[in-house]
Amino acid sequence: MSRTIRAAAAALLLAAPAIAQDGEPVSLDAFSVWEGAGSIVETGPNAHVFAGEMRGPYFIDVGQGPVHAGEIACVGMLEADMETGRQTGAARCRLDALDGAASFGRFACEGFRLVGCAGVFELTGGEGRMAGATGEGAILIRRTETALVAPESGPVTELAIGVAVWRDFKVTLAKPAE
């Protein structure tokens, strides 16, 4: 398959069902603008852990501009050192394409509060036309708290908005059965 045809297929990879599934990797960039909600627990004098969910639409781009591809939902945890600002996190995700196919993924990241959390996102399979799909690429997560609700005791509730950016993400669809 030519590089041009594969690039066009990548633009529709997570959005449309009619793409080539030849087992060759395609490369794309993507982003998601999301909302998050969860709990923050103080786990030490300068340590906090956030556990919660983020979800929102995701868009893919192979150089022709972003195309809405579906919705992503992730659940995960982020540990933060409040003295140094250093943070580490991990999450598991589900990407629902507009045509009903689904992909599963996970990532781990590290970085600094208010700067972002960078790492590697791994696609681990899926359902429908995404069954057997694999992939990997860099991910950067940035978030901003929009509300903190502190009860008299117990964990603080955090609401946030943010963006996830994938660069040069390589995806390989399973070869169709012959």
Side-chain angles (χ1 to χ4, degrees), residues 56-120:
Y58 69 91
F59 302 81
I60 58 174
D61 185 352
V62 292
Q64 302 299 315
V67 176
H68 181 221
E71 301 289 321
I72 184 170
C74 300
V75 292
M77 186 170 69
L78 184 69
E79 298 180 60
D81 181 319
M82 301 310 289
E83 187 173 351
T84 66
R86 186 153 186 76
Q87 60 185 8
T88 59
R92 298 260 182 180
C93 305
R94 177 184 174 102
L95 296 91
D96 289 312
L98 295 175
D99 71 344
S103 302
F104 308 114
R106 62 181 171 219
F107 68 89
C109 64
E110 59 182 50
F112 290 91
R113 180 171 160 63
L114 303 179
V115 175
C117 199
V120 174

Side-chain angles (χ1 to χ4, degrees), residues 34-43 47-55 74-82 87-91 113 141 143-145 147-148 155-161:
W34 51 265
E35 294 181 341
S39 297
I40 300 172
V41 176
E42 185 176 9
T43 57
H48 292 88
V49 173
F50 168 85
E53 169 190 39
M54 54 188 179
R55 66 174 52 238
C74 300
V75 292
M77 186 170 69
L78 184 69
E79 298 180 60
D81 181 319
M82 301 310 289
Q87 60 185 8
T88 59
R113 180 171 160 63
I141 304 285
R143 76 185 211 329
T144 301
E145 293 103 3
L148 293 173
V156 172
T157 299
E158 176 184 312
L159 302 178
I161 59 171

